[in-house]
Amino acid sequence: MLRLRDDQWERIRAHFPEEHIPDNRPGRKPVPTRAVLDAVLWILNTGAQWHFLPQCYPNYKTVHRRFQQWCQQEVLRAVLTQLANTLRDEGVLDERESFIDATFAAAKGGGEAVGLTKRGKGVKILAIVDRHGLPLSVSTHAANHHEVTLVQLSFDFYMLEAKPEHLIGDRAYDSDGLDEELQQDGVNMIAPHRSTRKLKTQDGRHLRRYERRWLVERFFAWLQWKRRLLIRWEYYATNFLGFVQLACITMLLKQF
């Protein structure tokens, strides 16, 4: 998605602060928000550097500054939350059976919240998706953290009030401590046992749900079509998270 349709733009425009500036305010008028957003979408899809922005878009310095302001003010997160709740009300999102996983993105330029691993410096994009593969939570973390320790943090970015009944992950999420923590919130964690585990705790009937974990892998495949997400070039973690959130916004907008 390089540009938004008119109906898609009307659905989200109220979240952008520049759209609430009165027309009779003295001084220079800001560059239209939709033009700036289309420019950021071009950067997201192509992965190009900011100064390579084509002349048909606003000046790249203006676009970059406005994008950073949206990230700092969590504008894109608000858009994502509103879209997710609307789709849930319409019966498109179904959080009862959800899937969790993470993917690695190299951070060759370094920056905030970057961790050193065997694969080099990078970050983890952690996501929870519903039973249709649509995002319910996306967050980014330093890559040197184990995924078990990040699950509760991912719920800080959860978009719906209702938490999933069943959360399915791979062997990295096999942890008695995590199972107990999530159980207190009414979430049943389902993950295959590690090969070193002696005490088996998972119900074999529930483990059949693991066969549908390809849905979260497909979600990451969708993300990787956005070339700006393959490598983190942003110094600030909030800016990279903003690109991830914008990619998820385009996924949800396609459902309308």
Side-chain angles (χ1 to χ4, degrees):
M1 180 184 291
L2 287 175
R3 294 181 184 271
L4 299 182
R5 300 194 311 265
D6 291 343
D7 62 307
Q8 293 173 333
W9 167 241
E10 290 299 327
R11 188 175 290 278
I12 67 175
R13 68 179 299 176
H15 290 280
F16 294 90
E18 299 88 350
E19 292 298 300
H20 300 284
I21 297 176
D23 293 334
N24 59 356
R25 191 196 71 168
R28 257 177 93 183
K29 305 301 181 189
V31 176
T33 307
R34 186 173 181 181
V36 175
L37 183 58
D38 284 342
V40 178
L41 283 171
W42 186 89
I43 296 290
L44 172 65
N45 281 275
T46 64
Q49 299 177 35
W50 289 99
H51 64 270
F52 286 139
L53 196 64
Q55 292 184 355
C56 60
Y57 295 108
N59 182 273
Y60 79 91
K61 293 182 180 179
T62 299
V63 175
H64 187 216
R65 184 183 70 253
R66 294 268 288 273
F67 174 68
Q68 288 193 102
Q69 291 171 351
W70 295 343
C71 295
Q72 292 165 2
Q73 298 170 14
E74 297 190 337
V75 172
L76 299 174
R77 180 176 177 179
V79 172
L80 198 53
T81 301
Q82 180 256 319
L83 291 175
N85 281 278
T86 300
L87 287 172
R88 183 180 186 271
D89 293 341
E90 295 180 358
V92 178
L93 279 181
D94 187 349
E95 81 288 348
R96 289 174 297 175
E97 181 182 74
S98 301
F99 303 85
I100 186 170
D101 203 359
T103 189
F104 177 83
K108 297 183 179 180
E112 289 183 341
V114 169
L116 183 62
T117 68
K118 294 180 180 178
R119 298 176 63 180
K121 293 184 293 184
V123 296
K124 283 182 178 178
I125 304 175
L126 185 65
I128 299 175
V129 304
D130 79 333
R131 67 191 312 169
H132 305 300
L134 297 174
L136 300 176
S137 170
V138 285
S139 55
T140 59
H141 312 272
N144 57 338
H145 294 299
H146 195 280
E147 290 171 33
V148 166
T149 65
L150 299 176
V151 174
Q152 291 290 4
L153 290 176
S154 72
F155 279 106
D156 293 340
F157 296 86
Y158 197 69
M159 305 169 203
L160 306 179
E161 290 187 8
K163 290 189 175 180
E165 296 178 15
H166 303 285
L167 185 63
I168 298 99
D170 58 19
R171 285 181 174 81
Y173 300 92
D174 179 25
S175 165
D176 290 336
L178 177 61
D179 292 347
E180 293 173 3
E181 287 180 18
L182 293 178
Q183 197 65 50
Q184 294 175 3
D185 294 327
V187 179
N188 176 31
M189 185 73 219
I190 300 172
H193 291 121
R194 297 174 184 268
S195 59
T196 56
R197 176 183 275 273
K198 296 181 180 179
L199 179 63
K200 307 297 183 183
T201 61
Q202 290 287 345
D203 188 323
R205 293 168 299 176
H206 286 175
L207 278 174
R208 294 177 191 150
R209 300 174 185 267
Y210 181 76
E211 296 175 358
R212 294 189 289 276
R213 205 184 67 84
W214 61 269
L215 288 164
V216 68
E217 296 172 351
R218 184 184 65 178
F219 166 79
F220 285 121
W222 287 343
L223 276 190
Q224 289 169 356
W225 278 98
K226 311 298 184 183
R227 296 180 63 86
R228 190 72 181 195
L229 303 182
L230 296 177
I231 297 176
R232 174 183 149 177
W233 296 109
E234 285 67 40
Y235 179 85
Y236 296 107
T238 53
N239 290 355
F240 184 70
L241 176 60
F243 275 122
V244 176
Q245 291 171 335
L246 185 57
C248 293
I249 287 171
T250 64
M251 291 182 196
L252 296 186
L253 283 173
K254 290 179 180 178
Q255 308 306 310
F256 293 96

